[in-house]
Amino acid sequence: MDFPIAGIFRRSIAFFIDCLLLNLVGEVITFPLVKRFDISFDEIIEQLFSEVAEWDRILIFLLLYTSFLALLWGFYFIYFTATTGQTPGKKWLGIKVVRVDGKSMDYKTAVNRFFGYSLSSIFLLGFLAALIDKNRQTWHDKMANTLVVISSITPH
């Protein structure tokens, strides 16, 4: 391998940066939806304990809201991983995703890796697996046959 394996700390910070970016963009994208339904999450919680809840309005809102965010997160991670191997967070931290077989990243691998995130997220066990794996692979890395490597010594 041409590049050293990226450590857990650097990967975690990159993921945190990606989450911040996604939350910011998510707020902007879902703002019209929140305004259209004129509902807040505090109101949704309140409605859960109400005898006269507006379930149809709440369920439609939650379905649309979570669908928008799921598409945003999917597009973000799949597109950046497939095209460059680097999300903005990974790029800023100087790390990238590469295939174990040395071939170029592609959409199939990126989709497989993205869906592996759901398995890795179960009690964070898949992420914590990288602590004991010699190649620092998470469950989603193993599913997609990828590694996260240091692509540059200094962050961009």
Side-chain angles (χ1 to χ4, degrees), residues 8-151:
I8 300 304
F9 182 74
R10 191 179 274 204
R11 289 180 69 169
S12 298
I13 297 300
F15 186 69
F16 179 74
I17 291 167
D18 290 329
C19 288
L20 286 176
L21 289 171
L22 282 164
N23 285 333
L24 179 65
V25 172
E27 288 291 321
V28 171
I29 287 175
T30 58
F31 181 77
L33 184 67
V34 172
K35 286 300 176 196
R36 162 69 176 87
F37 278 83
D38 191 30
I39 195 166
S40 69
F41 285 99
D42 290 338
E43 187 179 343
I44 291 172
I45 299 298
E46 213 173 89
Q47 292 281 325
L48 289 174
F49 301 103
S50 170
E51 291 181 23
V52 199
E54 300 176 57
W55 289 112
D56 55 338
R57 182 172 149 243
I58 291 170
L59 291 175
I60 290 170
F61 169 77
L62 288 175
L63 177 66
L64 290 171
Y65 185 85
T66 55
S67 295
F68 280 135
L69 292 181
L71 288 170
L72 171 67
W73 282 62
F75 173 79
Y76 181 92
F77 283 104
I78 293 168
Y79 173 77
F80 285 116
T81 302
T83 58
T84 65
Q86 294 178 298
T87 59
K90 282 182 177 62
K91 185 172 184 156
W92 194 69
L93 271 284
I95 60 178
K96 75 185 290 183
V97 179
V98 297
R99 289 175 42 158
V100 171
D101 63 10
K103 294 181 181 175
S104 297
M105 286 299 297
D106 58 13
Y107 280 97
K108 181 180 177 186
T109 304
V111 167
N112 193 8
R113 192 171 191 280
F114 177 73
F115 284 112
Y117 275 127
S118 58
L119 287 177
S120 287
S121 297
I122 299 171
F123 302 114
L124 300 178
L125 292 175
F127 292 101
L128 294 174
L131 292 172
I132 58 172
D133 186 88
K134 68 178 174 133
N135 289 321
R136 300 285 183 243
Q137 284 181 295
T138 59
W139 289 352
H140 53 278
D141 285 320
K142 288 186 180 294
M143 284 180 64
N145 291 316
T146 59
L147 295 168
V148 179
V149 298
I150 297 174
S151 61

